[in-house]
Amino acid sequence: MPKNCRYIALFLLTIVFLNLFLPIVAENVVVRPTRVQLSLAQTIDAETANQGDPVEFVVVHPVYQDGKIIVPAGARAYGRIEQVTQNGLLGKPASLAISLTTVDAIDGSKLPIIASKTLKGESRTAISIGVSLFLCILGIFIKGENVTMQAGYIIDADILGGNVVNVP
């Protein structure tokens, strides 16, 4: 084999080796404000929830910027229960308020997000007072409706801009 062919073969093998075994260089993408759709990972019930409890959501659709995925579908988003009120006597309804704070980006970093949701049960105060006045005092023991946020509940969140994500 001629000497020049050996050098060419060695050069080509070096190129192939570098492409196979060196990691792909990541590109930095500056995140612009955008929307992400999230699905609740676990059911939350006002009877058992506590203020400050963590809540977890899952990203429904990937988020793209500049043609690259910055947040993949299935990534986790995190928040907490801001306020919880259990249903009570005299028809007082339960309420539940959550807020979301971060979502996992494709590079493992956490991007800040803004989202909140408050659910309130149906009040039964009028029924409770009516039964108490016209039938018996036991009407005061009628409770308002409880609130449950079922797993799979969909909420939209806004990803804040300015952070940098390393995308492959």
Side-chain angles (χ1 to χ4, degrees), residues 129-150:
I129 292 172
V131 169
S132 296
L133 288 175
F134 297 110
L135 297 176
C136 70
I137 194 70
L138 296 178
I140 65 171
F141 294 107
I142 294 175
K143 287 187 171 188
E145 183 183 32
N146 187 39
V147 172
T148 302
M149 192 179 285
Q150 297 292 331

Side-chain angles (χ1 to χ4, degrees), residues 4-166:
N4 287 342
C5 288
R6 281 190 229 157
Y7 289 122
I8 292 171
L10 183 61
F11 176 75
L12 291 175
L13 283 173
T14 304
I15 298 284
V16 169
F17 175 79
L18 291 174
N19 284 331
L20 290 176
F21 297 107
L22 288 180
I24 297 172
V25 177
E27 180 182 333
N28 290 336
V29 173
V30 178
V31 178
R32 293 183 306 276
T34 190
R35 185 150 286 199
V36 61
Q37 191 174 56
L38 306 168
S39 173
L40 182 61
Q42 75 282 350
T43 298
I44 304 170
D45 191 316
E47 286 185 356
T48 57
N50 295 305
Q51 186 174 346
D53 283 353
V55 293
E56 198 168 305
F57 282 74
V58 178
V59 175
V60 177
H61 306 289
V63 177
Y64 292 89
Q65 285 198 355
D66 300 332
K68 301 195 182 309
I69 295 176
I70 60 168
V71 178
R76 298 291 180 169
Y78 307 95
R80 70 185 194 113
I81 297 174
E82 293 293 334
Q83 185 252 340
V84 63
T85 306
Q86 294 182 348
N87 58 346
L89 302 178
L90 288 173
K92 178 182 153 200
S95 66
L96 181 64
I98 63 166
S99 67
L100 298 171
T101 55
T102 60
V103 65
D104 291 337
I106 196 160
D107 65 355
S109 64
K110 298 210 180 292
L111 299 176
I113 60 175
I114 295 176
S116 62
K117 184 67 178 178
T118 301
L119 297 179
K120 188 171 184 175
E122 186 178 321
S123 174
R124 296 184 181 143
T125 303
I127 294 169
S128 175
I129 292 172
V131 169
S132 296
L133 288 175
F134 297 110
L135 297 176
C136 70
I137 194 70
L138 296 178
I140 65 171
F141 294 107
I142 294 175
K143 287 187 171 188
E145 183 183 32
N146 187 39
V147 172
T148 302
M149 192 179 285
Q150 297 292 331
Y153 185 88
I154 300 293
I155 189 170
D156 290 328
D158 293 315
I159 299 175
L160 302 178
N163 291 58
V164 175
V165 174
N166 295 317

